[in-house]
Amino acid sequence: MRRMETEQFAIEQQDKREQIEQLLENALPQEISYQKTIRDAMEYSLMAGGKRLRPMLLMESYRLFGGKDMDSVSPFMVAMELIHTYSLVHDDLPAMDNDEYRRGRKTTHVVYGEDMGILAGDALLNYAYEMAGQGVRAAEPMECGLRALEILAHKAGIHGMVGGQVVDVELTGQAIDEERLQFIYQLKTGALIEASLMMGAALAGASEADIQRMEQIGRNVGMAFQIQDDILDLVSTTEELGKPVHSDEKNEKTTYVTIHGIEKAKEAVEQYSETALDLLEGMDVSNDFLNTLIETLIRRKK
């Protein structure tokens, strides 16, 4: 599999992250009246930085299948990051993980209050579908946009991220078997990664078989990503991660590490990573940046 040189990849990744940051900033609501507080909370949450992984995966999957029109893919990239951000805002709430820091600064509910934290998440989610609607209208043909919207809604809801979060919350403080833990990881973490890769393919007019293949790649990436997150929660520092460490222990959560130990967890990251990369390599199309991005993110240190 072809990969980019480390230095060149880092330059391109930063360029793409800056492009995404600009898209997000430009997309924020402009005509605001008495509801200014919620717009400020949305901006505070959305522009807090981060890897911008999901919109980047969406864009690179689109490019993988020959997509070239940024006007049709950009609204979906924004929508994806809006949904990811709302999930983090709600995840940090006192009723959930009760975290005070995210990406190195105070979480939204700490700054704006718990009520505005809830409403900011609601606003981000609804605004995501406004953006996705713009993407459907811009897609050529429109059916590709409708397929992308269908994937987004499915993977963000009870059959995806929300469903995984429900099981995670319900079982917090209880012993979880591996089957349920995998269910949580695949839905809570993996679903939006799957969606990003699938939506990019759909918008570029890829076949349904290729869309499903991208789903399998995303599923393995998501598992590797979450298990690596479990490892980093134990071995990293708050300064490196930009969020509290040992939060799983604090919240009495079962993780892959608590079930199997850290060495087995590291082996699992490698296995899921290799499966994802093998599936990607077996395709008739190739994107060197995407190959390198996937390999880098699942071996990340923060």
Side-chain angles (χ1 to χ4, degrees), residues 273-284:
S273 303
E274 288 175 12
T275 300
L277 293 170
D278 286 347
L279 285 166
L280 195 57
E281 188 174 19
M283 303 187 73
D284 294 331

Side-chain angles (χ1 to χ4, degrees), residues 142-287:
M142 186 178 286
E143 285 75 14
C144 292
L146 290 170
R147 181 70 179 108
L149 177 59
E150 179 183 49
I151 293 166
L152 179 64
H154 182 78
K155 293 292 186 180
I158 64 169
H159 299 291
M161 182 188 67
V162 171
Q165 178 76 330
V166 166
V167 179
D168 188 32
V169 169
E170 283 187 331
L171 296 180
T172 294
Q174 301 179 39
I176 302 177
D177 59 43
E178 187 163 359
E179 180 182 351
R180 283 178 177 80
L181 186 67
Q182 185 164 333
F183 179 91
I184 292 168
Y185 284 10
Q186 286 182 353
L187 272 65
K188 183 180 176 182
T189 302
L192 291 190
I193 293 175
E194 293 169 22
S196 300
L197 293 170
M198 295 170 73
M199 289 164 65
L203 288 166
S207 69
E208 196 60 35
D210 280 336
I211 292 172
Q212 297 306 314
R213 191 180 185 92
M214 297 308 286
E215 180 179 38
Q216 291 303 311
I217 292 169
R219 184 158 298 174
N220 282 279
V221 170
M223 287 295 296
F225 188 90
Q226 183 56 58
I227 296 170
Q228 181 70 0
D229 204 55
D230 295 344
I231 295 169
L232 292 175
D233 188 63
L234 284 177
V235 303
S236 191
T237 65
T238 299
E239 290 72 26
E240 286 176 317
L241 287 184
K243 62 180 182 179
V245 294
H246 304 295
S247 59
D248 294 327
E249 182 180 356
K250 180 191 76 173
N251 293 313
E252 299 180 19
K253 286 189 175 180
T254 301
T255 69
Y256 199 94
V257 175
T258 61
I259 290 177
H260 295 287
I262 198 162
E263 292 306 318
K264 288 288 185 182
K266 290 178 180 178
E267 291 175 13
V269 170
E270 288 298 319
Q271 290 168 1
Y272 282 115
S273 303
E274 288 175 12
T275 300
L277 293 170
D278 286 347
L279 285 166
L280 195 57
E281 188 174 19
M283 303 187 73
D284 294 331
V285 289
S286 182
N287 176 336

Side-chain angles (χ1 to χ4, degrees), residues 9-274:
F9 172 75
I11 293 170
E12 288 201 25
Q13 185 181 31
Q14 181 60 29
D15 286 345
K16 292 174 190 293
R17 187 184 292 117
E18 289 174 2
Q19 291 173 28
I20 293 168
E21 294 281 340
Q22 192 62 56
L23 285 175
L24 296 174
E25 191 170 342
N26 292 344
L28 281 163
Q30 300 302 318
E31 296 180 11
I32 294 297
S33 180
Y34 295 118
Q35 75 276 45
K36 181 179 182 298
T37 300
I38 207 64
R39 194 271 185 196
D40 291 346
M42 290 170 68
E43 182 176 27
Y44 180 85
S45 309
L46 186 65
M47 304 309 296
K51 293 179 276 293
R52 307 306 187 190
L53 167 64
R54 291 152 191 83
M56 200 177 294
L57 286 171
L58 200 162
M59 176 173 62
E60 294 307 314
S61 177
Y62 180 68
R63 291 181 59 240
L64 175 68
F65 291 98
K68 293 181 172 60
D69 181 13
M70 284 299 294
D71 288 340
S72 63
V73 74
S74 294
F76 282 104
M77 292 166 59
V78 173
M80 176 59 69
E81 192 67 3
L82 286 165
I83 287 177
H84 175 57
T85 302
Y86 114 78
S87 75
L88 300 181
V89 172
H90 280 184
D91 204 34
D92 290 333
L93 288 166
M96 299 285 195
D97 286 351
N98 194 24
D99 281 329
E100 293 188 2
Y101 287 90
R102 167 76 63 178
R103 293 169 177 164
R105 64 178 187 169
K106 293 284 189 179
T107 48
T108 304
H109 74 271
V110 171
V111 174
Y112 289 92
E114 187 176 350
D115 49 2
M116 289 300 158
I118 294 169
L119 290 169
D122 295 342
L124 289 162
L125 174 59
N126 281 277
Y127 199 57
Y129 287 107
E130 287 190 50
M131 295 304 301
Q134 293 180 25
V136 170
R137 288 198 303 273
E140 291 289 347
M142 186 178 286
E143 285 75 14
C144 292
L146 290 170
R147 181 70 179 108
L149 177 59
E150 179 183 49
I151 293 166
L152 179 64
H154 182 78
K155 293 292 186 180
I158 64 169
H159 299 291
M161 182 188 67
V162 171
Q165 178 76 330
V166 166
V167 179
D168 188 32
V169 169
E170 283 187 331
L171 296 180
T172 294
Q174 301 179 39
I176 302 177
D177 59 43
E178 187 163 359
E179 180 182 351
R180 283 178 177 80
L181 186 67
Q182 185 164 333
F183 179 91
I184 292 168
Y185 284 10
Q186 286 182 353
L187 272 65
K188 183 180 176 182
T189 302
L192 291 190
I193 293 175
E194 293 169 22
S196 300
L197 293 170
M198 295 170 73
M199 289 164 65
L203 288 166
S207 69
E208 196 60 35
D210 280 336
I211 292 172
Q212 297 306 314
R213 191 180 185 92
M214 297 308 286
E215 180 179 38
Q216 291 303 311
I217 292 169
R219 184 158 298 174
N220 282 279
V221 170
M223 287 295 296
F225 188 90
Q226 183 56 58
I227 296 170
Q228 181 70 0
D229 204 55
D230 295 344
I231 295 169
L232 292 175
D233 188 63
L234 284 177
V235 303
S236 191
T237 65
T238 299
E239 290 72 26
E240 286 176 317
L241 287 184
K243 62 180 182 179
V245 294
H246 304 295
S247 59
D248 294 327
E249 182 180 356
K250 180 191 76 173
N251 293 313
E252 299 180 19
K253 286 189 175 180
T254 301
T255 69
Y256 199 94
V257 175
T258 61
I259 290 177
H260 295 287
I262 198 162
E263 292 306 318
K264 288 288 185 182
K266 290 178 180 178
E267 291 175 13
V269 170
E270 288 298 319
Q271 290 168 1
Y272 282 115
S273 303
E274 288 175 12

